[in-house]
């Protein structure tokens, strides 16, 4: 995606993308939006409300989102926080039965490359 400006970004519903979370600040661009570009290898496009089960699951796979990392300006995440997840990790969590709820209005349309709207709506 060559144009990564927010104005023309769409969500999975086909409407303008809304912010996922500003506190803590999320997104590939750290602007609160789950938008992406060609450099985002993980496709951080799925806005999810995190659960303790998901945080434990992703930590067990080597991606510890709950531990603060002040040297990187990362506060650590808690259950209830919203965060832009990698589309593939969300799919793995879905298959494992631990996928967090998706905020469709804040989930970028490119998440549909790996996940269906039905899957993201019904979880």
């Amino acid at each position: 995606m060559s144009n990564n400006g927010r104005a023309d970004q769409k969500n999975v519903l086909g409407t303008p993308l809304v912010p996922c979370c500003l506190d803590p600040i999320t997104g590939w661009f750290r602007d609160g939006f789950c938008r992406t570009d060609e450099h985002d290898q993980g496709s951080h496009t799925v806005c999810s409300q995190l659960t303790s089960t998901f945080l434990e699951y992703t930590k067990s796979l080597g991606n510890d989102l709950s531990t603060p990392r002040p040297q990187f300006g990362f506060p650590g995440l808690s259950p209830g926080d919203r965060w832009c997840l990698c589309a593939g990790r969300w799919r793995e969590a879905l298959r494992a039965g631990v996928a967090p709820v998706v905020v469709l209005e804040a989930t970028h349309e490119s998440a549909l490359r790996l996940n269906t709207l039905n899957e993201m709506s019904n979880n």
Side-chain angles (χ1 to χ4, degrees):
M1 171 178 308
S2 58
N3 182 354
N4 60 22
R6 292 189 303 220
D8 61 343
Q9 302 286 306
K10 300 284 187 209
N11 62 36
V12 295
L13 303 172
T15 58
L17 189 66
V18 301
C20 179
C21 189
L22 299 172
D23 185 22
I25 194 79
T26 190
W28 172 248
F29 295 99
R30 290 297 189 260
D31 62 359
F33 289 80
C34 296
R35 57 196 188 92
T36 189
D37 69 7
E38 64 275 4
H39 303 290
D40 180 8
Q41 298 286 322
S43 186
H44 294 77
T45 54
V46 179
C47 179
S48 293
Q49 186 164 347
L50 304 178
T51 63
S52 58
T53 304
F54 174 78
L55 288 168
E56 291 168 15
Y57 170 76
T58 195
K59 184 176 184 177
S60 76
L61 297 176
N63 187 18
D64 181 0
L65 296 174
S66 54
T67 301
R69 303 254 192 275
Q71 67 272 32
F72 301 113
F74 181 69
L77 302 174
S78 301
D81 287 342
R82 288 184 175 184
W83 197 249
C84 295
L85 300 177
C86 293
R89 177 54 49 94
W90 187 87
R91 182 151 198 79
E92 290 171 3
L94 178 68
R95 290 180 175 161
V98 297
V101 171
V102 174
V103 182
L104 298 173
E105 298 82 5
T107 296
H108 192 274
E109 64 186 347
S110 65
L112 294 169
R113 293 179 192 149
L114 291 177
N115 305 291
T116 69
L117 183 57
N118 190 48
E119 288 168 331
M120 292 186 286
S121 299
N122 290 326
N123 192 47

